[in-house]
DNA sequence: TCCATTGTACCGAACGATTGGTATATTGGA
DNA sequence: TCCAATATACCAATCGTTCGGTACAATGGA
């Protein structure tokens, strides 16, 4: 049964896209207004505390999507390799094949951290936990698993940065291709 | 013989630090003025085209420093392992042990790209070239060398992002520790 | 059934503050 | 006497925000 989206949810999605495109500071209210199709004053109806609330809502939505696309496949049940496949697919979808940025990156720059305190850290830690769990499941000792998880998150974030800088999604695609073996294989 | 810094050069260094702290959009003229200790008129004396010029100068200075700290050790003469040691030391210095961000990241966000077109890409490509050269020198076939270089840059950028998000330089330190073996060893 | 009331969704216009930027004047060392 | 360097004063534009208000649907007592 299809859930009917309220206008607010649509606005949040558009706002999240805008923040992921421009970062917190460059995503001005006029831009957010244009992106949502809502007047600036209307945005204050849904987000009484203004830009700060919009950033919080966008962050929460991003967390939802990451949980759905990445963390649930990772921590779910069933064959490990199949779940890793779902995970790479989920990563590709959430990051738009490497074209869309990560708020772990953008929300640790400029004034964003004040608006969404702890969000980037929480998101990063959730990913670290999920990847570490998988690495342990794959047979790595606890300490190794943590290191491997860190490398996984580093590769995701780094690939997104490099893809942005080069104007090519190739680095992100290659990173996705080697992610499963990073988590599964012995010896790094 | 110590080169005497002109007031402009000192300003450029301060401006670069500011851009690396806040990103392009959040580094306002008032902040840049405070950081340099120069009034607006002085800033416009040194940088006639305003913020854009400041970003260009900061970018050029960052390139200088990266060349000196990372690329020259990599492409220089002498024992390979010794040069890699210099490189990790240089990386640690330039990125302040993981506390300072990279303009390859920050200058691909918001309005920065319009002010410094191609800069982030050029910087990323310079690093890729240097790392690929080293990987080839270490015995990797050309194609593998390119992949390894890409992974090196990805790990650097990713580690900086994660360090920022977690508020800890540990991920960056661990990344530096495994960089040499990534470039030297066979099989990734 | 009528209609006053309330709540939701939205908007245009304006707010004070700050943005990046300029024009003109003054200072001070070579 | 230059002229680089800095100060003072100002600008239009945009920033995030708030105000006063409209349109409309839902509610509920008489």
């Amino acid at each position: 049964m299809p859930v009917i989206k309220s206008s607010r949810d649509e606005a949040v999605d558009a706002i999240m896209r805008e923040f992921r495109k421009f970062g917190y500071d460059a995503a001005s209210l006029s831009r957010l207004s244009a992106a949502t199709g809502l007047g600036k004053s209307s945005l204050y109806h849904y987000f009484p505390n203004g830009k700060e609330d919009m950033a919080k809502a966008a962050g929460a939505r991003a967390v939802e999507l990451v949980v759905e696309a990445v963390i649930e496949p990772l921590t779910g049940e069933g064959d490990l390799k199949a779940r890793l496949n779902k995970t790479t697919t989920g990563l590709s979808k959430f990051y738009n094949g490497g074209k869309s940025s990560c708020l772990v990156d953008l929300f640790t720059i400029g004034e964003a951290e004040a608006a969404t305190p702890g969000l980037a850290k929480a998101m990063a830690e959730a990913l670290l936990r999920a990847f570490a769990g998988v690495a342990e499941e794959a047979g790595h000792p606890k300490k190794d698993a943590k290191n491997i998880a860190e490398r996984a998150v580093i590769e995701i974030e780094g690939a997104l940065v490099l893809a942005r800088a080069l104007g090519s999604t190739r680095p992100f695609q290659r990173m996705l291709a080697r992610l499963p073996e990073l988590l599964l294989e012995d010896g790094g």
Side-chain angles (χ1 to χ4, degrees), chain A residues 18 27-36 38 40 43:
Chain A
E18 218 61 10
S28 64
L29 282 213
S30 351
R31 257 205 265 252
L32 295 172
S33 168
T36 54
L38 295 172
K40 283 202 242 178
L43 286 174

Side-chain angles (χ1 to χ4, degrees), chain A residues 28-92:
Chain A
S28 64
L29 282 213
S30 351
R31 257 205 265 252
L32 295 172
S33 168
T36 54
L38 295 172
K40 283 202 242 178
S41 45
S42 307
L43 286 174
Y44 276 82
H45 172 67
Y46 293 115
F47 310 99
N49 290 321
K51 200 178 178 180
E52 203 173 300
D53 274 7
M54 299 180 214
K56 285 191 174 103
R61 179 71 179 132
V63 168
E64 266 181 42
L65 291 173
V66 165
V67 166
E68 182 190 323
V70 185
I71 296 186
E72 277 177 4
L74 278 176
T75 57
E77 311 239 314
D79 176 60
L80 185 53
K81 286 199 180 181
R83 277 155 48 209
L84 285 178
N85 246 322
K86 272 196 204 171
T87 302
T88 53
T89 305
L91 283 167
S92 187

Side-chain angles (χ1 to χ4, degrees), chain A residues 12 70 76 79 110-111 134:
Chain A
V12 169
V70 185
D79 176 60
E111 309 293 337
V134 164

Side-chain angles (χ1 to χ4, degrees), chain A residues 20 66 70-71 74 87-88 90-92 94-95 98 100-105 123-124 127-128 131 148-164 171-180 182-183:
Chain A
R20 290 179 69 186
V66 165
V70 185
I71 296 186
L74 278 176
T87 302
T88 53
L91 283 167
S92 187
F94 178 71
Y95 292 112
S100 294
S101 297
C102 183
L103 293 185
V104 170
D105 181 358
M123 230 173 128
L127 285 169
L128 287 172
F131 278 120
I148 288 169
E150 184 173 287
R151 284 176 56 189
V153 175
I154 282 177
E155 287 232 25
I156 292 170
E157 298 299 333
L160 290 168
V161 170
L162 186 60
R164 227 165 45 216
F172 183 77
Q173 299 295 338
R174 282 189 283 263
M175 176 266 139
L176 280 188
R178 66 176 170 264
L179 233 203
L182 165 66
L183 295 160

